[in-house]
């Protein structure tokens, strides 16, 4: 059974960089047919897709967030990461990582989520 | 960007009743690219349905999905207590977007 686990600081100061890592277990991140996504959910709100990455390192982003976001992958450590630059209070959210079906683009396994608060 | 609009915003029903949740797209969505998720309070979302009508692994057969083009439906045939949660539809077009959610609450 594939498991994903987010890790990173729970508190980030405004204008700084938010960095999170998603560790994948129970399967190889290099295994064919899957992409690896980050999503977020603002408090009391719906879900927002941030972007996904192939194990090759090619990444695709939500156009509304593309300018400030970068996703990277480390296949040797079987994890992938998210960076959000110049954060504001609007970036306060629960951040999820998820495995994404490479043919039909649904999210079949999710991490438990990690709350990141942007505050001075 | 394709916008998904879910209705109703909140649905109040009793255990044992049938629930019908709607998801309407601003443009046609290929049926392969429409999915539904359940999110219980304090938990991560869980995949229920993908490809409009295929149940994900371990999902009970009281959950079913249907629809095409711009109109999609999630049906729960007989509500169990654990089904009261928020439900989201999701599509893949040039981007990946979600509906705003339907809250299914106990009447």
């Amino acid at each position: 059974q594939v498991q994903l686990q987010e890790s990173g600081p729970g508190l980030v100061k405004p204008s700084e960089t938010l960095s999170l890592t998603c560790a994948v277990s129970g399967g190889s991140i290099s295994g064919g047919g899957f992409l690896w996504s980050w999503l977020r959910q603002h408090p009391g709100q719906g879900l927002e897709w941030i972007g996904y990455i192939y194990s090759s390192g090619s990444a695709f982003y939500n156009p509304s967030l593309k300018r400030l976001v970068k996703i990277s992958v480390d296949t040797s450590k079987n994890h992938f990461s998210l960076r959000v630059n110049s954060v504001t209070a609007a970036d306060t959210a629960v951040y999820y990582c998820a495995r994404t079906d490479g043919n039909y683009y649904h999210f079949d396994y999710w991490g438990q989520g990690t709350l990141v608060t942007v505050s001075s | 960007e394709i916008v998904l609009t879910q209705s109703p915003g909140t649905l109040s029903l009793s255990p044992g009743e049938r629930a019908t949740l709607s998801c309407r797209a601003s443009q046609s969505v290929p049926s392969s690219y429409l999915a539904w998720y359940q999110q219980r309070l304090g938990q991560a979302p869980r995949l229920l349905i993908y490809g409009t009508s295929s149940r994900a692994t371990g999902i009970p057969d009281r959950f079913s999905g249907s629809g095409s083009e711009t109109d999609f439906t999630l049906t729960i045939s007989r509500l169990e207590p654990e089904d009261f949660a928020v439900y989201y539809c999701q599509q893949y077009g040039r981007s990946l977007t979600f509906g705003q959610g339907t809250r299914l609450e106990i009447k």
Side-chain angles (χ1 to χ4, degrees), chain B residues 15 35 41 73 99 103:
Chain B
L41 189 65
T73 300
R103 180 177 305 277

Side-chain angles (χ1 to χ4, degrees), chain A residues 41 49 96 103 105-107 111, chain B residues 33 37 39 44 88 90 96:
Chain A
Q41 187 169 34
W49 170 69
Y96 294 101
N103 290 312
Y105 298 89
H106 52 262
F107 307 100
Chain B
Y33 296 151
Y37 301 83
Q39 187 176 32
Y88 295 96
Q90 173 249 320
L96 285 142

